Amino acid sequence: MSLQAASDGLKAQEVERGNGRFNPPIPYIPEKAEELDPDREVPSVKVTLSTGVESRADMWDGSGTKEQFLCHMMTMRETLGGMGLFLRHEEAEAKTEEEILANAVTAADKEKAKASVKKHAKNVKACKEAITAAKEEVSKAMAKILSTTGNFFRGDGKTPCDKIVTEQTERDDPWIDLRGVEHTGVRGKSMQAWKDCFMLMLKTVFPNNAAEMQKFYLTLIRHSPKISVRAFLHRLTTVAGYVVELPGVINSRDAKDTTKAVAPYEDSELANIMKHAFSLKWQTQYDLGRKAPPTVEYLQNAMEKIEVAFRLQNANGSSKNSGKPGKKSSLNDKIPKKKSSHAKHEKPAGKSCALCKKFGGASATHNTNDCKKWDSKGNLKKGFKGGVDTETPPGTGKTYAQLFAETEKLKPRARS
C-alpha cells in the first residue's frame, strides 16, 4: 500500500485530535514533496547481494519528505545486510576473539612450556600474527561497509554523510560521541562508529526527541469515516513502526544517566490505542461481548465486522444517519438548516376575508370574523386608521401654487 493510499482526500483535522497544534516528526497523512520535475529519474546504485543476484538501490539526493528519507535509511541498512557485509564483519570479529583466546591459553601454559622455550615463543608469535590478521580483516569489513554506505547518497544528500563519517572515524584526537562527550585518540572504523553515523544522519532531518514525539502522537490519531478500517490500521501500524527508528533523547547531549531508550508499544498496548481511535459508538459496540484487543489483527477483524454492520444499518435507513434531508450524517458534516414551510415573503395559505374582498383591503391576511376594518354593512369600524397618515401635517410636499388653488376652491363654500 502506497503512502498516499490510506489518506487520499483527508485533512489533518479529520484524523488528528487537538486541531493540528501538535507537529509530529512523521504525520499520519504523508507530507507532499516539493514540486519536482515529472521527468526526473531517481538516481540508483548497482549492488550485488550475498546470493550473487545483482540489483539496484535508490540513492538519496536531498529531495523528498522526512518519511521518504527515513525509509531510504532503513532500506540502505537492509541492503547492506543483504550484501553480506554485516555478516562478514561479525565473522571477522568472532575470529579475532578466538585468536585472542588462543593467545591467552598459551600465556597460561607458559610455566609448563619452560622446557621448550623456543617452541613456546614460536606459538606466541603465530598467535599474535593470527590476531593481527583477524583485526585487519575486521578493518577491511568495516571499510567496505562505510564506503558502500556513501554510495547510497549523491549531491546535496552526500555532503552531510561524508562529513559525519569523516568526523566519527578519521578525525584526529579528540573525537565526540552522540552525547557530546570527548574521547582521546582516533576512534577508527568500527561497527559502533557506523551506528553513530547512521543516527547522526537521521538527526540532520529529525529533532533529538523525535522518537518520544512520535510515540505520543499515536495517541492523538482518530479514525475518519472516509477511510476503511483495514487501510486506517495499516497506515497507523506503519507510523507506529517508526518509533524505534527515530532518534531519541538518549542519543543526544540532553541525555542523563537515568535516561532510557524509547521502547515501542507492545502489540496489546498498540491495539488498545487503536481501539480508542474509533468513535465512541464503535467502541461501545466493540465492548459488547468482546475482551480487550490482544493484537492488532484481533482488533481489525472485530472492527471490520462493526464497519459492515453500520454500513448495512445506514443503507436500510434504520439508524438516525439514514441519509434523509435535514439529518446530520457525521460529525464532519455541517449543521443543516431547518427547511421553511413557505417561501420567503409568501403569506400563509388558508386565510380569506370576504369583507376586504368586497370593499377593499388585504383579504389574504386574516379571516372574515377577524376583520378590523369593515363591519357587515360595509362601514369602517370606529377607531380604524387604516392607511390614513395622522402624523404628517396637511399640505406637506405640495407647492405654494397648489395650496393657493385649493384655497380658492374652498372660498365659495365658506361664504355659503
Side-chain angles (χ1 to χ4, degrees):
M1 185 180 294
S2 64
L3 295 179
Q4 296 290 344
S7 59
D8 286 339
L10 291 177
K11 298 180 180 179
Q13 58 266 29
E14 294 180 290
V15 294
E16 295 178 3
R17 298 183 177 93
N19 298 325
R21 288 176 292 182
F22 185 80
N23 186 22
I26 300 179
Y28 177 89
I29 299 180
E31 298 174 326
K32 293 183 179 180
E34 297 179 358
E35 295 296 334
L36 300 175
D37 185 3
D39 299 329
R40 167 181 173 271
E41 295 183 0
V42 179
S44 59
V45 59
K46 184 178 179 180
V47 297
T48 303
L49 303 179
S50 58
T51 57
V53 178
E54 293 185 351
S55 179
R56 301 198 69 85
D58 293 340
M59 301 174 66
W60 180 260
D61 59 357
S63 301
T65 63
K66 295 180 180 179
E67 185 171 3
Q68 291 172 346
F69 175 72
L70 179 60
C71 291
H72 172 79
M73 295 293 291
M74 295 167 60
T75 303
M76 178 195 69
R77 184 178 57 194
E78 293 176 0
T79 305
L80 292 176
M83 296 173 66
L85 299 181
F86 293 148
L87 180 61
R88 176 186 172 185
H89 176 265
E90 291 176 1
E91 292 176 348
E93 281 195 333
K95 186 176 180 180
T96 302
E97 292 177 359
E98 291 177 359
E99 296 297 342
I100 293 175
L101 181 60
N103 187 18
V105 173
T106 303
D109 294 341
K110 185 176 180 180
E111 296 296 332
K112 299 180 181 179
K114 286 183 178 180
S116 54
V117 177
K118 293 183 179 180
K119 183 179 180 180
H120 173 73
K122 186 178 180 180
N123 292 338
V124 171
K125 183 178 180 181
C127 289
K128 289 183 177 180
E129 291 177 352
I131 292 173
T132 302
K135 289 183 177 180
E136 290 179 355
E137 183 63 24
V138 174
S139 299
K140 290 180 180 179
M142 281 309 309
K144 181 65 175 178
I145 291 176
L146 291 170
S147 62
T148 306
T149 300
N151 295 335
F152 284 85
F153 300 89
R154 192 184 77 163
D156 295 338
K158 186 174 179 60
T159 302
C161 176
D162 293 341
K163 181 180 179 181
I164 290 173
V165 172
T166 301
E167 291 183 351
Q168 290 295 316
T169 60
E170 301 177 5
R171 184 177 179 180
D172 294 336
D173 182 31
W175 60 275
I176 304 174
D177 61 12
L178 292 176
R179 293 191 174 187
V181 180
E182 292 186 357
H183 300 269
T184 58
V186 180
R187 184 175 193 179
K189 299 177 180 180
S190 62
M191 180 56 66
Q192 186 59 44
W194 181 85
K195 292 180 180 179
D196 289 352
C197 292
F198 187 91
M199 186 59 62
L200 289 171
M201 280 295 299
L202 292 177
K203 292 172 73 171
T204 60
V205 175
F206 298 99
N208 291 333
N209 62 339
E212 288 83 357
M213 294 174 63
Q214 190 71 15
K215 187 174 182 179
F216 171 74
Y217 173 70
L218 298 176
T219 62
L220 302 181
I221 299 177
R222 63 181 180 181
H223 174 253
S224 171
K226 295 182 180 180
I227 183 175
S228 65
V229 170
R230 182 176 294 268
F232 172 73
L233 294 181
H234 182 276
R235 174 59 182 168
L236 188 53
T237 303
T238 302
V239 175
Y242 293 143
V243 173
V244 294
E245 303 292 344
L246 292 170
V249 176
I250 192 173
N251 295 319
S252 68
R253 296 174 182 265
D254 299 330
K256 300 180 180 179
D257 295 337
T258 57
T259 304
K260 297 181 180 179
V262 179
Y265 287 114
E266 298 290 340
D267 201 13
S268 58
E269 293 177 328
L270 183 59
N272 194 46
I273 291 175
M274 291 180 174
K275 171 196 167 186
H276 288 85
F278 292 91
S279 64
L280 184 59
K281 184 182 294 185
W282 285 37
Q283 293 183 47
T284 304
Q285 188 67 28
Y286 174 89
D287 293 335
L288 297 176
R290 293 186 179 90
K291 58 182 180 180
T295 62
V296 176
E297 182 181 3
Y298 179 91
L299 176 68
Q300 177 178 309
N301 294 334
M303 285 302 181
E304 283 185 335
K305 294 177 182 178
I306 297 175
E307 180 182 28
V308 173
F310 273 94
R311 188 186 304 132
L312 294 176
Q313 189 179 34
N314 293 339
N316 295 331
S318 58
S319 69
K320 293 183 179 180
N321 300 330
S322 58
K324 294 182 180 180
K327 297 292 184 180
K328 190 176 179 182
S329 58
S330 70
L331 295 176
N332 299 320
D333 294 343
K334 294 182 178 180
I335 299 177
K337 295 182 178 180
K338 183 178 180 181
K339 187 177 180 181
S340 178
S341 59
H342 55 275
K344 192 174 182 181
H345 303 303
E346 181 181 349
K347 301 301 180 181
K351 293 184 179 181
S352 178
C353 178
L355 297 176
C356 290
K357 280 185 178 181
K358 183 176 181 181
F359 302 109
S363 61
T365 60
H366 57 281
N367 295 321
T368 305
N369 295 333
D370 300 328
C371 186
K372 297 181 179 180
K373 183 177 182 180
W374 306 102
D375 58 14
S376 59
K377 297 181 180 180
N379 299 322
L380 286 173
K381 291 185 176 180
K382 185 178 181 181
F384 178 78
K385 298 180 180 180
V388 179
D389 189 359
T390 58
E391 297 181 358
T392 305
T396 302
K398 295 183 179 180
T399 64
Y400 177 78
Q402 292 175 337
L403 295 175
F404 181 78
E406 292 180 358
T407 304
E408 291 297 324
K409 290 181 181 180
L410 296 174
K411 283 183 180 181
R413 296 182 182 179
R415 293 173 183 174
S416 61

